Amino acid sequence: MSDDPCISLLRELVSIDSVNPSLVPGARGEGAIATAVAEHMRAMGLDVHVEEVERGRPNVIGVLEGLQPGPTLLLCGHLDTVGVEGMAAPFAPVDRDGRLYGRGAQDMKAGVAAMIDAVRVAVAHGFTRGRMVVAAVIDEEYASLGADDLVQRWKADLAVVTEPTDLKIGVAHKGFAWIEVVTRGRAAHGSRPRDGRDAILRMGRVLQRLEALDRELQARPPHPLMGTASLHASIITGGRELSSYPDRCELQMERRTIAGESGEDAAREVAAILEALQREDSELEAESRLTFARPAYELAPSHPLPGLLGAGLSSYGLSAETVGMSFWTDAAILGAAGIPTVLFGPGGAGLHGLEEYVNVADVVTCRDVLARLAVSLP
Ligand SMILES: [Zn+2]
């Protein structure tokens, strides 16, 4: 199994540093891995488009046209990974006990290798109708610039994002909103309480209300596929020195949203908390703003795509279960662009952790099920 072309490609991809430079300043980015992917796709006979999104950070799109007209199936995965601090040999793929270890092995170079090699297997299994578009995109781990660019240029009838799903069919996931809260005080010497106003203690009141809001969100009836919304305080800064009243405290928080909630809705809840605190204390100076948001994703329940993919899974004796995923993905961007999308990828563990691996057999199964889907589309 480990000499399968799909696994050799996976090993090659893991060995190329593609840490996202927006996440980790100075990191290598997707340039080198994009070149390798483009070369591999060309060698397979695909029509390859290298589309620069940011300087030196291109999406790579490979296209296979069938002989007869038919649906366009988009397979999409991201080339970037999170950082590697603390990992001994992140770019030296290691095979052990049916697992392949390395940064990005599961998230998501395995999915990228599977979707690219699926084209080769689909052709071998008689792919003739429609079109396969295989898109390896940048920047999913930060702002998804790659997927945003992709949907401006490419259309498809159906899509599979090959993020890791343990070979289950992901049909929904949460969205998120990033919100910044600032409290202001008045700087003064620590010995002069009448002159000073403590911005950090004022933020403490905000934090208490946020904690109560989080409890309330998690007590609401859960969405059947997404669970409940939640929030957490991600980064907090404030204060200059021990003997001074801090004049400013800044909190960056994240709110995970479920279907029916927008980033603006989440920001309004936080603004309402600040307004309530200001009614209690007119000296409390605070403001909040939404800095970034991405919507939740849900495939229309009646859509045939999970059934088509599930038929392939059943033929391998695997369950064709549909599930909600906990993490956000580019599926939300494809879905918002009108492309019905599911998530389907191999199992493993250690996403964003110090020891990341993917199950080698799952990568091959994922590849085969994707190829079968391409051949069997109505
Ligand atoms: Zn990912």
Side-chain angles (χ1 to χ4, degrees), residues 78 107-108 140-141 163-164 327 351-352:
H78 64 85
D107 185 14
M108 62 169 288
E140 194 273 346
E141 299 289 2
E163 289 272 11
F327 48 83
L351 276 88
H352 301 200

Side-chain angles (χ1 to χ4, degrees), residues 311-327:
L313 276 167
S314 306
S315 74
Y316 286 91
L318 295 164
S319 111
E321 196 186 342
T322 56
V323 295
M325 308 309 298
S326 60
F327 48 83

Side-chain angles (χ1 to χ4, degrees), residues 145-158:
L145 300 173
D148 272 343
D149 191 80
L150 179 75
V151 297
Q152 310 265 325
R153 305 185 200 221
W154 294 85
K155 298 271 168 277
D157 299 299
L158 305 158

Side-chain angles (χ1 to χ4, degrees), residues 77-78 80-82 106-109 140-141 161-164 327-330 351-352 356:
H78 64 85
D80 59 317
T81 71
V82 294
Q106 191 192 19
D107 185 14
M108 62 169 288
K109 292 177 176 180
E140 194 273 346
E141 299 289 2
V161 170
T162 55
E163 289 272 11
F327 48 83
W328 188 88
T329 76
D330 282 343
L351 276 88
H352 301 200
E356 177 178 352

